[in-house]
Amino acid sequence: MTSARRKAYLEAMQIDTWRRRGSPAPAPAPSTVTVPAQSAPGEAQTADWAGLERLVVECRRCALCETRRHTVFGVGDRRANWFVVGEAPGADEDRQGEPFVGRAGQLLNAMLRAIGLPRDQVFIANVLKCRPPNNRDPLAREAAACLPYLERQLALVAPRLVLVVGRIAAQNLLATDAPLAQLRGRVHRRGGAGPPIVVTYHPAYLLRTPSDKRKAWEDLKFAREVAGRG
Ligand code: SF4
């Protein structure tokens, strides 16, 4: 990507593209944290893509099946190097059956393009496949019920890097209560053998708190560096 295009995308993220001379960008600490992986039970554990999609569409493992319009399975390149994990569908996603549409989705697209990744070259999915009413946080039992689908998606895609956006997704995927500030800037692995996982802010948060876009950009550069290690 040319520097002019990258500058254009950074501006799309509304990130200042200048930096005071002599003040290098802070580099996240490249430490590695291993968390236990949970195994996907039952049919999901061995399903192929078609079988997994059918399981999700028909799923009634938690009460969110009662209020959803559409399940939101995930979208993108099923052989992608990058797998983006979000929290749960919102109203637009529930209506369209696709993750990260609307303003937050547009910002995610800009963030990905800024590091040279068009949306159709990554795979994007949420921890929850159904929308929690009124966009409330997922309950622990809902996340536990739904996580096997994401785990199978991760196994099928076998990405080089997992980028987790937002505290809720990170805490559920990494089985931790740690705040986002502690999860950013390091490499996590589930089960010690899975792909490296890097955590950053959710684009919806960045829309509310644009002053943190610069830190998100540092996370993206860190993720790109981690993905390139393999
Ligand atoms: S949120 Fe997940 S576990 Fe709950 S009904 Fe939807 S697909 Fe099933």
Side-chain angles (χ1 to χ4, degrees):
M1 173 180 285
T2 66
S3 59
R5 280 188 73 193
R6 178 166 293 124
K7 184 169 184 288
Y9 289 130
L10 288 175
E11 285 170 356
M13 289 176 64
Q14 297 181 330
I15 289 177
D16 293 336
T17 52
W18 55 269
R19 187 182 305 144
R20 193 187 304 275
R21 197 176 299 166
S23 60
S31 55
T32 299
V33 178
T34 298
V35 296
Q38 298 173 26
S39 61
E43 282 186 87
Q45 197 168 14
T46 54
D48 60 12
W49 280 109
L52 194 62
E53 281 188 278
R54 178 180 52 77
L55 287 172
V56 169
V57 157
E58 297 174 354
C59 183
R60 303 188 67 78
R61 283 168 57 90
C62 81
L64 297 180
C65 67
E66 303 291 345
T67 50
R68 71 187 177 209
R69 281 197 193 181
H70 295 104
T71 54
V72 179
F73 180 75
V75 70
D77 183 351
R78 293 179 173 183
R79 299 168 68 181
N81 286 331
W82 285 53
F83 193 125
V84 179
V85 177
E87 172 186 333
D92 292 333
E93 288 79 12
D94 180 53
R95 197 161 36 242
Q96 298 182 37
E98 181 170 332
F100 285 97
V101 294
R103 289 182 67 220
Q106 288 168 13
L107 179 55
L108 177 66
N109 296 346
M111 292 165 66
L112 292 171
R113 283 197 305 267
I115 50 169
L117 285 171
R119 179 180 170 104
D120 62 3
Q121 287 183 18
V122 304
F123 194 84
I124 305 172
N126 288 311
V127 172
L128 284 191
K129 309 306 188 201
C130 304
R131 181 194 181 203
N134 303 315
N135 295 343
R136 64 159 169 76
D137 288 350
L139 303 178
R141 63 175 178 272
E142 294 164 348
C146 211
L147 205 52
Y149 301 131
L150 177 64
E151 290 175 330
R152 184 59 183 156
Q153 289 174 314
L154 286 165
L156 286 168
V157 175
R160 293 170 68 100
L161 180 101
V162 179
L163 180 69
V164 183
V165 297
R167 176 183 61 85
I168 299 290
Q171 289 179 339
N172 279 293
L173 195 65
L174 301 176
T176 180
D177 292 327
L180 193 77
Q182 284 180 21
L183 300 174
R184 293 178 51 244
R186 59 186 62 194
V187 175
H188 306 264
R189 288 185 194 270
R190 303 180 84 233
I197 300 171
V198 172
V199 177
T200 189
Y201 297 98
H202 194 287
Y205 166 82
L206 293 173
L207 289 171
R208 297 191 301 270
T209 317
S211 57
D212 276 344
K213 285 182 179 177
R214 170 61 67 184
K215 289 196 273 185
W217 174 236
E218 297 303 326
D219 294 338
L220 291 173
K221 289 192 293 182
F222 176 57
R224 184 172 56 188
E225 185 257 310
V226 171
R229 289 178 191 170

